[in-house]
Amino acid sequence: MKKSIIFKVTMLVLILIATASCSTILSGRRAKVTVNGSAPYSKERVFIQTDAKSYSNVYLPAVVKVKRKSKPSVIKITSDSYDYSSIVVGKKINSAFWWNILLGGFIGMGVDAGTGAMYKPEQKHYTTQMTPKQNKFVVENSSAHSTPKGKSKDVIVINNPQARMHNPLPILDNDTSFDETPKFTSTSDVDSDIPYVEIRNTYTYVVVIANEDYQSEVKVPYAKNDGRVFAKYCKQILGVPQENIDVFENASYNNIRKAISNAKMFADAAGKNARIIFYYAGHGIPDETSQSAYLLPVDGYGSDVATGYKLDNLYADLGNIPVSSVTVFIDACFSGSKREGDKLASARGIAIKVKPGMPLGNMVVFTASSGDETAYHYQNQSHGLFTYFLLKKLKETRGDVTYDELFSYIQDNVKMASFQNYRKIQTPTVKAAIRMNNSWKTMKLTKTK
């Protein structure tokens, strides 16, 4: 009788242990996701590498397996005809994992955590951006470029922040002939002879959002040039590696969300010493009811703040990332005005004075204007006024300038230039999170640790 009871109890325990690992049993250690190409008409065989398996001679769309684990999985794709952007598959808790609690399976929870089965991909479908290899940028007279130092330059593929062409050209100190900007010629003094500073800022991640060609609103003059040149400064003067710089041109709402997600992933990889620089050029819009400010994606409507990205949300998203510092540059105004000074077509004929918002964490925010002012462009220099003087000071000092000195220079010169060109005053502002006190004043963008 005793043996029978012991046997039954033993079998019951074994069954509970086996069935309690719900995620491992129901889902397994690997998950399936579908990879789509941005050019669905293209039919060529590709090679796909995930953290779980390799796939040779397959066509897109393709169903592939990734590991179920807490860290994001990376999917890499190669072929003869195209460059493909890498896909980062984020993870979330698998719903099957919670059955362990209902079944009292704490052992099962441990098993699921150990196997990684407690996680699953955030979404089932992902799209890789495809860039034809024969359409890579070609720079005139490239054969004339040479450098005894053997430096090389990476080129950002515009509109695709994860797909890049590596080392297509040598780079010269004070290089004036190389231009990453296709079909655009600028005569600005800040766009040429950019210094190359010998530092390596590996713990800094840069997000550049340059919104110029709006779908339902007027263009923002020179916004794309602002973003492209700022990205060059981040690499050549601030020493940020090319792979740490993401440029989003004409960014949609989801592009902005993706930029924030990338910043969070970088912080997770780099640790507490990480630094983030966020740059935005484009339209800003006000909420007339709450007086809150919004960044306007290119697919947004100036008359509908629900289509915008709330500035307070941006501060919260970036400010809550556990990093050494977050620096934000915003070349936009939030009064409902255009860079030319008149109002957006969808805005009322009055300027709205928005609430400035409060930076969080270790954040410092530089903005192009204050209150109900307009953030103007500098037509002779092919930049926004704010961005032009930001770049000019970085160039003059080779980045060796404190935030306090940088702000004073920008504010003094923008105020004068706005009066001289528009007979209006544009007043840049700077605001730091409360915990920063006055420590932000001695900070520098060239900090490498």
Side-chain angles (χ1 to χ4, degrees), residues 300-319:
Y301 296 88
S303 59
D304 185 1
V305 294
T307 64
Y309 197 98
K310 194 173 184 180
L311 200 58
D312 287 339
N313 292 343
L314 176 73
Y315 292 167
D317 290 338
L318 292 176

Side-chain angles (χ1 to χ4, degrees), residues 130-195:
M130 302 166 60
T131 306
K133 290 185 177 180
Q134 63 269 27
N135 288 342
K136 291 181 179 180
F137 294 165
V138 177
V139 180
E140 295 181 358
N141 299 324
S142 61
S143 61
H145 299 329
S146 62
T147 172
K149 298 182 181 179
K151 297 173 187 172
S152 60
K153 190 178 190 73
D154 294 333
V155 181
I156 300 171
V157 179
I158 303 299
N159 286 330
N160 184 0
Q162 290 180 324
R164 293 184 172 88
M165 297 175 286
H166 294 289
N167 305 326
L169 291 170
I171 180 175
L172 304 176
D173 283 347
N174 300 325
D175 183 14
T176 63
S177 55
F178 182 85
D179 185 4
E180 290 174 356
T181 308
K183 299 181 181 179
F184 179 83
T185 302
S186 172
T187 58
S188 176
D189 60 321
V190 298
D191 291 2
S192 61
D193 297 317
I194 302 172

Side-chain angles (χ1 to χ4, degrees), residues 56-116:
S56 300
N57 296 320
V58 297
Y59 293 100
L60 298 182
V63 177
V64 300
K65 290 184 177 181
V66 297
K67 289 183 179 180
R68 295 178 180 272
K69 56 182 181 179
S70 60
K71 293 185 177 180
S73 298
V74 178
I75 301 175
K76 296 184 177 181
I77 307 165
T78 56
S79 74
D80 293 333
S81 303
Y82 287 87
D83 287 326
Y84 293 81
S85 64
S86 297
I87 295 174
V88 179
V89 180
K91 305 298 173 58
K92 62 182 179 181
I93 299 295
N94 190 347
S95 57
F97 174 74
W98 303 116
W99 282 99
N100 289 314
I101 297 176
L102 296 177
L103 295 175
F106 293 104
I107 296 177
M109 293 175 71
V111 172
D112 287 345
T115 62

Side-chain angles (χ1 to χ4, degrees), residues 72 88 90 122 205 207 246 248 254-268 309 317-318 321:
V88 179
E122 290 182 340
Y205 171 68
V207 173
D246 282 345
F248 294 79
N254 283 332
N255 290 149
I256 298 177
R257 291 183 61 211
K258 177 59 178 172
I260 302 301
S261 176
N262 287 351
K264 292 178 180 178
M265 285 191 288
F266 176 83
D268 182 58
Y309 197 98
D317 290 338
L318 292 176
I321 301 176

Side-chain angles (χ1 to χ4, degrees), residues 111-376:
V111 172
D112 287 345
T115 62
M118 66 179 288
Y119 300 99
K120 67 178 182 179
E122 290 182 340
Q123 57 192 67
K124 295 181 179 180
H125 295 269
Y126 293 85
T127 299
T128 177
Q129 297 296 322
M130 302 166 60
T131 306
K133 290 185 177 180
Q134 63 269 27
N135 288 342
K136 291 181 179 180
F137 294 165
V138 177
V139 180
E140 295 181 358
N141 299 324
S142 61
S143 61
H145 299 329
S146 62
T147 172
K149 298 182 181 179
K151 297 173 187 172
S152 60
K153 190 178 190 73
D154 294 333
V155 181
I156 300 171
V157 179
I158 303 299
N159 286 330
N160 184 0
Q162 290 180 324
R164 293 184 172 88
M165 297 175 286
H166 294 289
N167 305 326
L169 291 170
I171 180 175
L172 304 176
D173 283 347
N174 300 325
D175 183 14
T176 63
S177 55
F178 182 85
D179 185 4
E180 290 174 356
T181 308
K183 299 181 181 179
F184 179 83
T185 302
S186 172
T187 58
S188 176
D189 60 321
V190 298
D191 291 2
S192 61
D193 297 317
I194 302 172
Y196 195 104
V197 180
E198 295 290 347
I199 61 174
R200 186 74 172 170
N201 218 333
T202 54
Y203 286 95
T204 297
Y205 171 68
V206 178
V207 173
V208 176
I209 296 178
N211 285 356
E212 181 169 329
D213 305 306
Y214 280 81
Q215 298 172 14
S216 303
E217 301 292 346
V218 295
K219 292 179 63 173
V220 177
Y222 313 119
K224 287 191 289 189
N225 192 47
D226 286 341
R228 292 168 181 170
V229 179
F230 181 79
K232 290 178 69 175
Y233 271 58
C234 287
K235 181 181 178 183
Q236 293 185 212
I237 294 182
L238 305 185
V240 181
Q242 185 70 56
E243 56 269 23
N244 289 12
I245 303 173
D246 282 345
V247 178
F248 294 79
E249 280 193 359
N250 295 331
S252 66
Y253 182 87
N254 283 332
N255 290 149
I256 298 177
R257 291 183 61 211
K258 177 59 178 172
I260 302 301
S261 176
N262 287 351
K264 292 178 180 178
M265 285 191 288
F266 176 83
D268 182 58
K272 63 181 181 179
N273 290 327
R275 303 170 74 232
I276 294 171
I277 298 174
F278 181 94
Y279 174 90
Y280 175 85
H283 280 314
I285 58 172
D287 184 336
E288 296 181 17
T289 302
S290 66
Q291 294 183 310
S292 296
Y294 290 76
L295 304 180
L296 189 64
V298 292
D299 55 351
Y301 296 88
S303 59
D304 185 1
V305 294
T307 64
Y309 197 98
K310 194 173 184 180
L311 200 58
D312 287 339
N313 292 343
L314 176 73
Y315 292 167
D317 290 338
L318 292 176
N320 288 323
I321 301 176
V323 293
S324 174
S325 68
V326 177
T327 304
V328 178
F329 296 101
I330 299 179
D331 196 345
C333 61
F334 301 95
S335 60
S337 300
K338 301 184 295 184
R339 273 190 171 180
E340 295 92 328
D342 50 340
K343 300 299 173 186
L344 292 173
S346 57
R348 294 184 179 180
I350 57 173
I352 306 298
K353 189 173 184 178
V354 297
K355 298 175 182 177
M358 178 56 67
L360 302 175
N362 297 319
M363 180 183 292
V364 182
V365 179
F366 295 80
T367 54
S369 60
S370 60
D372 56 0
E373 296 175 349
T374 298
Y376 294 102

